[in-house]
Amino acid sequence: MLEKIIHLDKELLVYLNGLGTERWDWLWLIITKQLNWAPIFLLVFYLLQKKIGWKNFGYYVLFTAVMILICDQTVNLFKYSFERLRPCNDEEIKGIIRLVKTSSSFSFFSGHATNSMASTVLTFMILKRYYNHAYLLFLFPLIFAYSRIYLGLHFPTDVLTGYTFGAIAGFLVFKAYQRFLKNSFSKDN
């Protein structure tokens, strides 16, 4: 069963990666770098701070930093436990996929997908009560993590596993954030 999943995963990667063209490679190389998303992050932070205030925004930043630290360490634990080769290093398919970027680290599961989904879920859960279109935040992890497939750096299951882990982490941290705020406000009264 696992072999069948891995085979399908590779086939899906070859298909999705093959949709790309050299004409657009430059764009996906820009998309895959976190720093290039900074203007959007700053806009989201502004909208968030405007609605929840500086004190709660500070707590949000703290909870987000701890969450990303935990997610990164968990991803690294999995990567070095499974040692799955990235598509760009997998001898079975690297000759038939478009190699736009390479990396020597392991593939399973995607830290880009995990962190982008975790931070998006946490932020969405806070913002959804203030903005009707807060769901648009989910464009970030979808586009950001797809860039890893486009570039030949991750298999689809790496991204889907990262999404799943990140969504769970983001939701759990949101619940912890809510509880923390509730307890700190009840102590203030």
Side-chain angles (χ1 to χ4, degrees), residues 1-11 84 155:
M1 178 71 167
L2 183 58
E3 290 174 11
K4 177 87 170 157
I5 292 170
I6 291 171
H7 177 73
L8 291 172
D9 196 25
K10 288 182 180 186
E11 283 185 356
R84 182 181 194 188
F155 292 98

Side-chain angles (χ1 to χ4, degrees), residues 91-171:
E91 293 296 331
E92 185 181 335
I93 62 168
K94 79 177 191 178
I96 57 174
I97 64 171
R98 299 178 63 257
L99 296 177
V100 182
K101 186 174 175 152
T102 60
S103 176
S104 60
S105 63
F106 295 113
S107 185
F108 184 77
F109 51 95
S110 169
H112 280 74
T114 302
N115 289 327
S116 64
M117 186 59 81
S119 57
T120 299
V121 167
L122 172 59
T123 306
F124 169 77
M125 295 301 291
I126 296 168
L127 283 179
K128 71 179 184 175
R129 67 188 285 206
Y130 303 111
Y131 299 102
N132 292 334
H133 300 293
Y135 61 86
L136 292 174
L137 292 171
F138 287 99
L139 290 174
F140 164 60
L142 293 174
I143 295 168
F144 186 55
Y146 175 74
S147 73
R148 311 305 284 171
I149 294 170
Y150 182 98
L151 298 172
L153 293 170
H154 278 294
F155 292 98
T157 55
D158 300 337
V159 170
L160 292 175
T161 304
Y163 279 161
T164 303
F165 185 83
I168 293 167
F171 183 75

Side-chain angles (χ1 to χ4, degrees), residues 26-65:
W26 66 272
L27 177 64
W28 291 98
L29 286 165
I30 290 171
I31 287 171
T32 204
K33 293 186 185 204
Q34 297 96 324
L35 190 59
N36 294 331
W37 290 84
I40 293 172
F41 296 157
L42 291 173
L43 173 63
V44 171
F45 289 165
Y46 168 76
L47 295 172
L48 191 58
Q49 186 281 324
K50 187 173 146 187
K51 293 297 181 182
I52 66 175
W54 282 110
K55 183 177 178 183
N56 289 348
F57 180 73
Y59 293 138
Y60 162 83
V61 170
L62 178 64
F63 274 76
T64 302

